[in-house]
Amino acid sequence: MDLVPDFEDRRPGEVATPYPTDAQVPGFRMACGAYFDVMTKLGRAVMRILAVAMGQPATFFDRALARPRAQLRLLRYPAAPPGMTEARLSCGAHTDYGGITILAVDSPGLQVLVPNRTATSNSTPDVVAHPTSRAHASIHGGTWMRVPVVPGTLVVNLADMIARYTNRNFHSTLHRVVHAGVNRDRFSIPFFFDMDAETVVRVLPQFMPGGELANPEVKEVYFPDPIVFGEHLMRQVESTFGAADKRDEATVAAS
Ligand SMILES: O=C(O)CCC(=O)C(=O)O
Ligand SMILES: [Fe+2]
């Protein structure tokens, strides 16, 4: 049995889960709205910092973020049933699709892959457990690192478009959730802060091999062609949710 999140605000092609009424859960909707607004402000600030880190003016993303694609998900991973000890994926290995994800978690479970650039005998075989990791053909395994829970902090994951702008000098973090053998629920709140779906994304010249910001070890041009973010999004959503049944078949050992 896999432990998958049992609530999120929407799945592709579906309308958002209706909010409970104020009589049912007083203040819930208002709190979600307030959190969304604060995260949008934070998202803009983080993207400005990221722009500077990418050698661009702080305003680099402003146009693409005039109408951001922002989504808040409220996830609950149910506690493992009594007696279940097997380690199974609660959320299969994947990368997020757009700009950044700002994540609040209440308990451990999130793991990120620290990739090897070149093949070694220690390569982790289950990196290919999820269809979207096809995008990671150049990553020859790596080590799953447990992300510590530090009260009062948020986790920021870089997503696919940042890897594209930087020719993978900045990674779009491959991550998964392992919440098994734990007898209490886990809650997490990812806020996906992405550019307008019409944004055209191409590798910045500074990150091309030999470019002034490029790691000399990165010799390959991973993304020769520009893409429209919305098209990437559609493809990834189809491959992720279309294959959801197969997604978590692989049993994983938490490293
Ligand atoms: O629950 C988590 O910690 C991560 C969730 C996640 O990666 C996602 O929803 O994309
Ligand atoms: Fe994610």
Side-chain angles (χ1 to χ4, degrees), residues 8-58:
E8 59 185 28
D9 68 351
R10 76 179 70 191
R11 284 191 177 271
E14 289 183 3
V15 292
T17 309
Y19 279 100
T21 64
D22 233 32
Q24 287 164 325
V25 188
F28 183 79
R29 185 173 192 148
M30 223 178 79
C32 287
Y35 189 77
F36 190 96
D37 290 346
V38 169
M39 285 297 113
T40 301
K41 281 200 184 111
L42 180 61
R44 288 188 196 285
V46 173
M47 292 294 273
R48 284 185 155 226
I49 294 167
L50 200 52
V52 173
M54 288 162 53
Q56 303 303 307

Side-chain angles (χ1 to χ4, degrees), residues 48 64-65 118 150 170 187 199 215 234:
R48 284 185 155 226
L65 293 175
T118 52
V150 182
F170 294 7
F187 294 90
T199 307
N215 179 337
M234 289 309 294

Side-chain angles (χ1 to χ4, degrees), residues 73 75 77 91 94 96 103 105 110 175 177 186 188 190 192:
R73 280 197 197 144
L75 302 178
Y77 299 82
C91 172
H94 67 282
D96 297 340
L103 181 67
V105 299
L110 179 66
H175 55 283
V177 177
R186 175 178 185 273
S188 76
F192 303 95

